[in-house]
Amino acid sequence: MKFSPVEAMEVKAKEPKPSLLGIMVKPVEHFERIRKNPVIWMPIIVLAILFAAGIYLNYDQEAVMKEINKTSSITLSESDKELMKTTSMIFAIIAGIIAPLIGALVKTIVYQIAAKILKAPVAFKQLFSMCLHISFLSAIALLVSGAIRFAFGLSGSGMLTGISYYMGESGRAWGSIELFSIWTLVLSAIGLYRTAHFSKKAAWGIPIVLFIIGMLFHLLGASIS
């Protein structure tokens, strides 16, 4: 059945929209919604707010000031220290908002290239919407870690939901082994199968390869430092 342009817009408007929370509780249903009605701007706005809050809760000002005092050759006044703490936190929040969005965009490009090779019937907008919704897990991980750290006054780097935090310096190489990262891998596979219509092998294989590459980068970074 063919629709006029106006009717087609009305049909699209009636399609239920996917939600960030829905990806966690009903992933299959919401990935199918993304295919029919991919939304971009609302997830970006919500993710920006959540990541900003997560960075704020996880930001260790004392650790930053210790590093500044180590590297600074002059003695800073209290007002200068406060200014540097505020400035560094603002930059950390801005970077914390931008980095996940760039990450989602890079993944989208990788998936789009794979879709072209596999001849999967999926558009860039659908893949980008899918990646943005999956990024919600990273925001939740940051918020959970930050809330626990803030509530109990915990220090140190690393996500509290990953094993690297509990292994100290020796655990930095295993930063990708984290509860929400593994959950993200699973949702990525489901999303590629339901939204992008990849085969099951490709839908699981591509996220696993990207996960392994991320792990190797963690190992490389830990060995260099």
Side-chain angles (χ1 to χ4, degrees):
M1 181 179 180
K2 292 184 178 181
F3 295 101
S4 68
V6 175
E7 290 173 330
M9 289 178 65
E10 289 177 351
V11 170
K12 185 176 180 180
K14 291 177 182 178
E15 290 286 355
K17 293 181 179 181
S19 72
L20 295 170
L21 186 60
I23 288 296
M24 295 179 66
V25 295
K26 293 182 178 180
V28 172
E29 176 184 333
H30 284 266
F31 279 128
E32 289 176 349
R33 288 185 183 185
I34 289 172
R35 181 169 181 83
K36 295 176 182 177
N37 189 10
V39 292
I40 301 294
W41 288 109
M42 184 55 69
I44 287 177
I45 293 170
V46 174
L47 288 173
I49 295 170
L50 294 179
F51 276 113
I55 292 294
Y56 176 79
L57 290 173
N58 281 279
Y59 191 73
D60 191 344
Q61 289 190 346
E62 296 304 319
V64 171
M65 288 313 302
K66 284 180 181 178
E67 191 63 30
I68 290 172
N69 290 332
K70 281 182 183 178
T71 57
S72 178
S73 59
I74 60 174
T75 303
L76 299 173
S77 65
E78 288 301 318
S79 60
D80 288 336
K81 287 181 180 180
E82 287 301 319
L83 178 60
M84 291 190 73
K85 284 164 68 173
T86 303
T87 304
S88 61
M89 182 171 66
I90 290 172
F91 277 110
I93 290 174
I94 292 172
I97 293 172
I98 295 173
L101 298 179
I102 293 176
L105 182 60
V106 170
K107 279 190 175 181
T108 302
I109 293 171
V110 173
Y111 293 153
Q112 183 71 63
I113 293 170
K116 294 292 184 183
I117 295 171
L118 298 170
K119 297 182 179 179
V122 63
F124 185 90
K125 185 177 181 180
Q126 292 169 317
L127 289 171
F128 189 40
S129 179
M130 181 193 80
C131 289
L132 287 173
H133 281 78
I134 293 174
S135 296
F136 181 62
L137 284 176
S138 298
I140 294 299
L142 197 61
L143 284 171
V144 169
S145 183
I148 295 173
R149 183 176 274 117
F150 186 80
F152 295 98
L154 301 177
S155 59
S157 60
M159 300 292 289
L160 297 180
T161 51
I163 64 173
S164 61
Y165 179 83
Y166 306 97
M167 295 174 66
E169 288 297 319
S170 62
R172 290 179 60 190
W174 307 104
S176 58
I177 308 298
E178 186 266 334
L179 175 63
F180 287 90
S181 294
I182 296 171
W183 195 351
T184 295
L185 187 155
V186 173
L187 285 185
S188 297
I190 297 172
L192 289 174
Y193 182 67
R194 293 289 178 176
T195 301
H197 286 186
F198 282 19
S199 67
K200 284 188 177 180
K201 287 183 178 179
W204 280 97
I206 294 171
I208 289 172
V209 168
L210 293 178
F211 185 83
I212 292 172
I213 291 172
M215 187 184 299
L216 291 175
F217 272 111
H218 272 100
L219 289 168
L220 180 62
S223 64
I224 292 174
S225 60

PDB file of all heavy atoms in Angstrom, residues 177-204:
ATOM      1  N   ILE A 177      37.193  -4.897  31.190  1.00  0.00           N
ATOM      2  CA  ILE A 177      36.417  -5.969  31.838  1.00  0.00           C
ATOM      3  C   ILE A 177      35.548  -5.327  32.918  1.00  0.00           C
ATOM      4  O   ILE A 177      35.944  -5.170  34.073  1.00  0.00           O
ATOM      5  CB  ILE A 177      37.334  -7.045  32.462  1.00  0.00           C
ATOM      6  CG1 ILE A 177      38.346  -7.534  31.439  1.00  0.00           C
ATOM      7  CG2 ILE A 177      36.495  -8.204  32.997  1.00  0.00           C
ATOM      8  CD1 ILE A 177      37.739  -8.197  30.223  1.00  0.00           C
ATOM      9  N   GLU A 178      34.389  -4.920  32.512  1.00  0.00           N
ATOM     10  CA  GLU A 178      33.496  -4.160  33.391  1.00  0.00           C
ATOM     11  C   GLU A 178      32.057  -4.573  33.093  1.00  0.00           C
ATOM     12  O   GLU A 178      31.720  -4.887  31.948  1.00  0.00           O
ATOM     13  CB  GLU A 178      33.728  -2.662  33.147  1.00  0.00           C
ATOM     14  CG  GLU A 178      33.000  -1.729  34.076  1.00  0.00           C
ATOM     15  CD  GLU A 178      31.679  -1.261  33.503  1.00  0.00           C
ATOM     16  OE1 GLU A 178      31.547  -1.240  32.265  1.00  0.00           O
ATOM     17  OE2 GLU A 178      30.780  -0.932  34.292  1.00  0.00           O
ATOM     18  N   LEU A 179      31.236  -4.616  34.127  1.00  0.00           N
ATOM     19  CA  LEU A 179      29.865  -5.133  34.017  1.00  0.00           C
ATOM     20  C   LEU A 179      29.099  -4.494  32.868  1.00  0.00           C
ATOM     21  O   LEU A 179      28.525  -5.184  32.021  1.00  0.00           O
ATOM     22  CB  LEU A 179      29.123  -4.906  35.341  1.00  0.00           C
ATOM     23  CG  LEU A 179      27.636  -5.275  35.358  1.00  0.00           C
ATOM     24  CD1 LEU A 179      27.446  -6.763  35.115  1.00  0.00           C
ATOM     25  CD2 LEU A 179      26.994  -4.855  36.678  1.00  0.00           C
ATOM     26  N   PHE A 180      29.080  -3.165  32.809  1.00  0.00           N
ATOM     27  CA  PHE A 180      28.285  -2.479  31.804  1.00  0.00           C
ATOM     28  C   PHE A 180      28.914  -2.571  30.412  1.00  0.00           C
ATOM     29  O   PHE A 180      28.209  -2.472  29.411  1.00  0.00           O
ATOM     30  CB  PHE A 180      28.064  -1.021  32.211  1.00  0.00           C
ATOM     31  CG  PHE A 180      27.078  -0.866  33.338  1.00  0.00           C
ATOM     32  CD1 PHE A 180      27.503  -0.886  34.656  1.00  0.00           C
ATOM     33  CD2 PHE A 180      25.726  -0.712  33.077  1.00  0.00           C
ATOM     34  CE1 PHE A 180      26.601  -0.751  35.696  1.00  0.00           C
ATOM     35  CE2 PHE A 180      24.805  -0.566  34.108  1.00  0.00           C
ATOM     36  CZ  PHE A 180      25.249  -0.592  35.427  1.00  0.00           C
ATOM     37  N   SER A 181      30.230  -2.750  30.342  1.00  0.00           N
ATOM     38  CA  SER A 181      30.885  -2.941  29.043  1.00  0.00           C
ATOM     39  C   SER A 181      30.465  -4.268  28.412  1.00  0.00           C
ATOM     40  O   SER A 181      30.214  -4.353  27.204  1.00  0.00           O
ATOM     41  CB  SER A 181      32.411  -2.914  29.199  1.00  0.00           C
ATOM     42  OG  SER A 181      32.843  -1.646  29.609  1.00  0.00           O
ATOM     43  N   ILE A 182      30.388  -5.297  29.254  1.00  0.00           N
ATOM     44  CA  ILE A 182      29.946  -6.605  28.756  1.00  0.00           C
ATOM     45  C   ILE A 182      28.475  -6.550  28.354  1.00  0.00           C
ATOM     46  O   ILE A 182      28.067  -7.112  27.333  1.00  0.00           O
ATOM     47  CB  ILE A 182      30.178  -7.681  29.836  1.00  0.00           C
ATOM     48  CG1 ILE A 182      31.689  -7.814  30.101  1.00  0.00           C
ATOM     49  CG2 ILE A 182      29.588  -9.026  29.421  1.00  0.00           C
ATOM     50  CD1 ILE A 182      32.040  -8.666  31.283  1.00  0.00           C
ATOM     51  N   TRP A 183      27.682  -5.828  29.145  1.00  0.00           N
ATOM     52  CA  TRP A 183      26.266  -5.644  28.829  1.00  0.00           C
ATOM     53  C   TRP A 183      26.127  -4.887  27.503  1.00  0.00           C
ATOM     54  O   TRP A 183      25.270  -5.205  26.671  1.00  0.00           O
ATOM     55  CB  TRP A 183      25.590  -4.874  29.967  1.00  0.00           C
ATOM     56  CG  TRP A 183      24.093  -4.897  29.966  1.00  0.00           C
ATOM     57  CD1 TRP A 183      23.267  -5.381  28.992  1.00  0.00           C
ATOM     58  CD2 TRP A 183      23.236  -4.405  30.999  1.00  0.00           C
ATOM     59  NE1 TRP A 183      21.947  -5.230  29.348  1.00  0.00           N
ATOM     60  CE2 TRP A 183      21.897  -4.629  30.566  1.00  0.00           C
ATOM     61  CE3 TRP A 183      23.456  -3.795  32.221  1.00  0.00           C
ATOM     62  CZ2 TRP A 183      20.804  -4.249  31.346  1.00  0.00           C
ATOM     63  CZ3 TRP A 183      22.367  -3.420  32.996  1.00  0.00           C
ATOM     64  CH2 TRP A 183      21.059  -3.658  32.564  1.00  0.00           C
ATOM     65  N   THR A 184      26.985  -3.896  27.301  1.00  0.00           N
ATOM     66  CA  THR A 184      26.985  -3.136  26.053  1.00  0.00           C
ATOM     67  C   THR A 184      27.288  -4.040  24.868  1.00  0.00           C
ATOM     68  O   THR A 184      26.677  -3.916  23.793  1.00  0.00           O
ATOM     69  CB  THR A 184      28.033  -2.002  26.130  1.00  0.00           C
ATOM     70  OG1 THR A 184      27.635  -1.061  27.136  1.00  0.00           O
ATOM     71  CG2 THR A 184      28.167  -1.288  24.788  1.00  0.00           C
ATOM     72  N   LEU A 185      28.239  -4.950  25.037  1.00  0.00           N
ATOM     73  CA  LEU A 185      28.579  -5.896  23.976  1.00  0.00           C
ATOM     74  C   LEU A 185      27.356  -6.726  23.582  1.00  0.00           C
ATOM     75  O   LEU A 185      27.057  -6.898  22.399  1.00  0.00           O
ATOM     76  CB  LEU A 185      29.713  -6.801  24.445  1.00  0.00           C
ATOM     77  CG  LEU A 185      30.343  -7.758  23.421  1.00  0.00           C
ATOM     78  CD1 LEU A 185      31.771  -8.104  23.829  1.00  0.00           C
ATOM     79  CD2 LEU A 185      29.543  -9.047  23.258  1.00  0.00           C
ATOM     80  N   VAL A 186      26.651  -7.214  24.579  1.00  0.00           N
ATOM     81  CA  VAL A 186      25.465  -8.046  24.325  1.00  0.00           C
ATOM     82  C   VAL A 186      24.384  -7.236  23.607  1.00  0.00           C
ATOM     83  O   VAL A 186      23.793  -7.698  22.611  1.00  0.00           O
ATOM     84  CB  VAL A 186      24.912  -8.625  25.649  1.00  0.00           C
ATOM     85  CG1 VAL A 186      23.588  -9.349  25.407  1.00  0.00           C
ATOM     86  CG2 VAL A 186      25.922  -9.572  26.284  1.00  0.00           C
ATOM     87  N   LEU A 187      24.138  -6.004  24.084  1.00  0.00           N
ATOM     88  CA  LEU A 187      23.121  -5.168  23.449  1.00  0.00           C
ATOM     89  C   LEU A 187      23.520  -4.776  22.029  1.00  0.00           C
ATOM     90  O   LEU A 187      22.658  -4.652  21.154  1.00  0.00           O
ATOM     91  CB  LEU A 187      22.874  -3.910  24.288  1.00  0.00           C
ATOM     92  CG  LEU A 187      22.056  -4.085  25.563  1.00  0.00           C
ATOM     93  CD1 LEU A 187      21.782  -2.737  26.214  1.00  0.00           C
ATOM     94  CD2 LEU A 187      20.731  -4.792  25.296  1.00  0.00           C
ATOM     95  N   SER A 188      24.809  -4.575  21.806  1.00  0.00           N
ATOM     96  CA  SER A 188      25.271  -4.245  20.452  1.00  0.00           C
ATOM     97  C   SER A 188      24.960  -5.384  19.486  1.00  0.00           C
ATOM     98  O   SER A 188      24.532  -5.152  18.350  1.00  0.00           O
ATOM     99  CB  SER A 188      26.782  -3.967  20.460  1.00  0.00           C
ATOM    100  OG  SER A 188      27.084  -2.835  21.251  1.00  0.00           O
ATOM    101  N   ALA A 189      25.161  -6.613  19.947  1.00  0.00           N
ATOM    102  CA  ALA A 189      24.862  -7.777  19.110  1.00  0.00           C
ATOM    103  C   ALA A 189      23.363  -7.864  18.807  1.00  0.00           C
ATOM    104  O   ALA A 189      22.962  -8.101  17.658  1.00  0.00           O
ATOM    105  CB  ALA A 189      25.338  -9.050  19.803  1.00  0.00           C
ATOM    106  N   ILE A 190      22.551  -7.650  19.839  1.00  0.00           N
ATOM    107  CA  ILE A 190      21.095  -7.685  19.642  1.00  0.00           C
ATOM    108  C   ILE A 190      20.666  -6.572  18.691  1.00  0.00           C
ATOM    109  O   ILE A 190      19.832  -6.768  17.801  1.00  0.00           O
ATOM    110  CB  ILE A 190      20.355  -7.557  20.992  1.00  0.00           C
ATOM    111  CG1 ILE A 190      20.693  -8.745  21.903  1.00  0.00           C
ATOM    112  CG2 ILE A 190      18.841  -7.470  20.778  1.00  0.00           C
ATOM    113  CD1 ILE A 190      20.160  -8.604  23.316  1.00  0.00           C
ATOM    114  N   GLY A 191      21.261  -5.364  18.888  1.00  0.00           N
ATOM    115  CA  GLY A 191      20.910  -4.225  18.049  1.00  0.00           C
ATOM    116  C   GLY A 191      21.276  -4.440  16.589  1.00  0.00           C
ATOM    117  O   GLY A 191      20.500  -4.110  15.686  1.00  0.00           O
ATOM    118  N   LEU A 192      22.445  -4.977  16.345  1.00  0.00           N
ATOM    119  CA  LEU A 192      22.865  -5.227  14.960  1.00  0.00           C
ATOM    120  C   LEU A 192      21.981  -6.268  14.287  1.00  0.00           C
ATOM    121  O   LEU A 192      21.764  -6.225  13.069  1.00  0.00           O
ATOM    122  CB  LEU A 192      24.329  -5.670  14.928  1.00  0.00           C
ATOM    123  CG  LEU A 192      25.358  -4.580  15.239  1.00  0.00           C
ATOM    124  CD1 LEU A 192      26.754  -5.166  15.312  1.00  0.00           C
ATOM    125  CD2 LEU A 192      25.301  -3.459  14.206  1.00  0.00           C
ATOM    126  N   TYR A 193      21.466  -7.190  15.078  1.00  0.00           N
ATOM    127  CA  TYR A 193      20.593  -8.217  14.520  1.00  0.00           C
ATOM    128  C   TYR A 193      19.181  -7.668  14.279  1.00  0.00           C
ATOM    129  O   TYR A 193      18.584  -7.910  13.221  1.00  0.00           O
ATOM    130  CB  TYR A 193      20.529  -9.412  15.470  1.00  0.00           C
ATOM    131  CG  TYR A 193      19.688 -10.555  14.961  1.00  0.00           C
ATOM    132  CD1 TYR A 193      20.069 -11.301  13.839  1.00  0.00           C
ATOM    133  CD2 TYR A 193      18.498 -10.899  15.595  1.00  0.00           C
ATOM    134  CE1 TYR A 193      19.291 -12.340  13.372  1.00  0.00           C
ATOM    135  CE2 TYR A 193      17.708 -11.943  15.131  1.00  0.00           C
ATOM    136  CZ  TYR A 193      18.110 -12.661  14.023  1.00  0.00           C
ATOM    137  OH  TYR A 193      17.325 -13.693  13.557  1.00  0.00           O
ATOM    138  N   ARG A 194      18.666  -6.914  15.251  1.00  0.00           N
ATOM    139  CA  ARG A 194      17.288  -6.435  15.168  1.00  0.00           C
ATOM    140  C   ARG A 194      17.137  -5.141  14.376  1.00  0.00           C
ATOM    141  O   ARG A 194      16.179  -4.979  13.607  1.00  0.00           O
ATOM    142  CB  ARG A 194      16.733  -6.233  16.586  1.00  0.00           C
ATOM    143  CG  ARG A 194      16.559  -7.514  17.376  1.00  0.00           C
ATOM    144  CD  ARG A 194      15.403  -8.323  16.826  1.00  0.00           C
ATOM    145  NE  ARG A 194      15.251  -9.583  17.560  1.00  0.00           N
ATOM    146  CZ  ARG A 194      14.266 -10.448  17.349  1.00  0.00           C
ATOM    147  NH1 ARG A 194      13.349 -10.177  16.437  1.00  0.00           N
ATOM    148  NH2 ARG A 194      14.203 -11.580  18.032  1.00  0.00           N
ATOM    149  N   THR A 195      18.054  -4.205  14.567  1.00  0.00           N
ATOM    150  CA  THR A 195      17.950  -2.911  13.895  1.00  0.00           C
ATOM    151  C   THR A 195      18.604  -2.927  12.522  1.00  0.00           C
ATOM    152  O   THR A 195      18.034  -2.438  11.541  1.00  0.00           O
ATOM    153  CB  THR A 195      18.599  -1.805  14.762  1.00  0.00           C
ATOM    154  OG1 THR A 195      17.948  -1.738  16.034  1.00  0.00           O
ATOM    155  CG2 THR A 195      18.494  -0.453  14.080  1.00  0.00           C
ATOM    156  N   ALA A 196      19.823  -3.484  12.451  1.00  0.00           N
ATOM    157  CA  ALA A 196      20.579  -3.456  11.194  1.00  0.00           C
ATOM    158  C   ALA A 196      20.324  -4.668  10.311  1.00  0.00           C
ATOM    159  O   ALA A 196      20.740  -4.690   9.154  1.00  0.00           O
ATOM    160  CB  ALA A 196      22.076  -3.351  11.501  1.00  0.00           C
ATOM    161  N   HIS A 197      19.659  -5.693  10.871  1.00  0.00           N
ATOM    162  CA  HIS A 197      19.376  -6.932  10.135  1.00  0.00           C
ATOM    163  C   HIS A 197      20.656  -7.623   9.655  1.00  0.00           C
ATOM    164  O   HIS A 197      20.701  -8.153   8.537  1.00  0.00           O
ATOM    165  CB  HIS A 197      18.433  -6.668   8.964  1.00  0.00           C
ATOM    166  CG  HIS A 197      17.016  -6.433   9.399  1.00  0.00           C
ATOM    167  ND1 HIS A 197      15.970  -6.303   8.518  1.00  0.00           N
ATOM    168  CD2 HIS A 197      16.468  -6.295  10.643  1.00  0.00           C
ATOM    169  CE1 HIS A 197      14.842  -6.102   9.184  1.00  0.00           C
ATOM    170  NE2 HIS A 197      15.124  -6.091  10.481  1.00  0.00           N
ATOM    171  N   PHE A 198      21.700  -7.587  10.508  1.00  0.00           N
ATOM    172  CA  PHE A 198      22.895  -8.386  10.243  1.00  0.00           C
ATOM    173  C   PHE A 198      22.558  -9.844  10.527  1.00  0.00           C
ATOM    174  O   PHE A 198      21.615 -10.142  11.253  1.00  0.00           O
ATOM    175  CB  PHE A 198      24.044  -7.959  11.166  1.00  0.00           C
ATOM    176  CG  PHE A 198      24.748  -6.693  10.753  1.00  0.00           C
ATOM    177  CD1 PHE A 198      24.167  -5.783   9.878  1.00  0.00           C
ATOM    178  CD2 PHE A 198      26.000  -6.398  11.254  1.00  0.00           C
ATOM    179  CE1 PHE A 198      24.805  -4.621   9.507  1.00  0.00           C
ATOM    180  CE2 PHE A 198      26.666  -5.241  10.898  1.00  0.00           C
ATOM    181  CZ  PHE A 198      26.067  -4.346  10.024  1.00  0.00           C
ATOM    182  N   SER A 199      23.340 -10.745   9.972  1.00  0.00           N
ATOM    183  CA  SER A 199      23.184 -12.150  10.341  1.00  0.00           C
ATOM    184  C   SER A 199      23.603 -12.318  11.800  1.00  0.00           C
ATOM    185  O   SER A 199      24.322 -11.467  12.349  1.00  0.00           O
ATOM    186  CB  SER A 199      24.062 -13.036   9.447  1.00  0.00           C
ATOM    187  OG  SER A 199      25.441 -12.776   9.708  1.00  0.00           O
ATOM    188  N   LYS A 200      23.194 -13.408  12.431  1.00  0.00           N
ATOM    189  CA  LYS A 200      23.547 -13.612  13.838  1.00  0.00           C
ATOM    190  C   LYS A 200      25.057 -13.689  14.032  1.00  0.00           C
ATOM    191  O   LYS A 200      25.597 -13.168  15.015  1.00  0.00           O
ATOM    192  CB  LYS A 200      22.876 -14.882  14.373  1.00  0.00           C
ATOM    193  CG  LYS A 200      21.396 -14.717  14.657  1.00  0.00           C
ATOM    194  CD  LYS A 200      20.824 -15.934  15.358  1.00  0.00           C
ATOM    195  CE  LYS A 200      19.352 -15.718  15.708  1.00  0.00           C
ATOM    196  NZ  LYS A 200      18.757 -16.895  16.401  1.00  0.00           N
ATOM    197  N   LYS A 201      25.742 -14.338  13.099  1.00  0.00           N
ATOM    198  CA  LYS A 201      27.201 -14.457  13.215  1.00  0.00           C
ATOM    199  C   LYS A 201      27.873 -13.090  13.144  1.00  0.00           C
ATOM    200  O   LYS A 201      28.748 -12.763  13.942  1.00  0.00           O
ATOM    201  CB  LYS A 201      27.741 -15.367  12.114  1.00  0.00           C
ATOM    202  CG  LYS A 201      27.436 -16.846  12.318  1.00  0.00           C
ATOM    203  CD  LYS A 201      28.081 -17.681  11.220  1.00  0.00           C
ATOM    204  CE  LYS A 201      27.812 -19.165  11.446  1.00  0.00           C
ATOM    205  NZ  LYS A 201      28.416 -20.017  10.375  1.00  0.00           N
ATOM    206  N   ALA A 202      27.438 -12.269  12.186  1.00  0.00           N
ATOM    207  CA  ALA A 202      28.021 -10.935  12.032  1.00  0.00           C
ATOM    208  C   ALA A 202      27.635 -10.034  13.205  1.00  0.00           C
ATOM    209  O   ALA A 202      28.445  -9.240  13.690  1.00  0.00           O
ATOM    210  CB  ALA A 202      27.574 -10.310  10.720  1.00  0.00           C
ATOM    211  N   ALA A 203      26.383 -10.165  13.652  1.00  0.00           N
ATOM    212  CA  ALA A 203      25.897  -9.324  14.747  1.00  0.00           C
ATOM    213  C   ALA A 203      26.681  -9.564  16.034  1.00  0.00           C
ATOM    214  O   ALA A 203      26.904  -8.632  16.816  1.00  0.00           O
ATOM    215  CB  ALA A 203      24.407  -9.580  14.984  1.00  0.00           C
ATOM    216  N   TRP A 204      27.078 -10.787  16.278  1.00  0.00           N
ATOM    217  CA  TRP A 204      27.885 -11.099  17.463  1.00  0.00           C
ATOM    218  C   TRP A 204      29.372 -10.910  17.196  1.00  0.00           C
ATOM    219  O   TRP A 204      30.124 -10.434  18.060  1.00  0.00           O
ATOM    220  CB  TRP A 204      27.622 -12.533  17.924  1.00  0.00           C
ATOM    221  CG  TRP A 204      26.372 -12.662  18.725  1.00  0.00           C
ATOM    222  CD1 TRP A 204      25.151 -13.056  18.277  1.00  0.00           C
ATOM    223  CD2 TRP A 204      26.210 -12.361  20.114  1.00  0.00           C
ATOM    224  NE1 TRP A 204      24.225 -13.026  19.292  1.00  0.00           N
ATOM    225  CE2 TRP A 204      24.852 -12.606  20.432  1.00  0.00           C
ATOM    226  CE3 TRP A 204      27.070 -11.907  21.110  1.00  0.00           C
ATOM    227  CZ2 TRP A 204      24.350 -12.410  21.719  1.00  0.00           C
ATOM    228  CZ3 TRP A 204      26.574 -11.707  22.395  1.00  0.00           C
ATOM    229  CH2 TRP A 204      25.225 -11.964  22.683  1.00  0.00           C
TER     230      TRP A 204
END
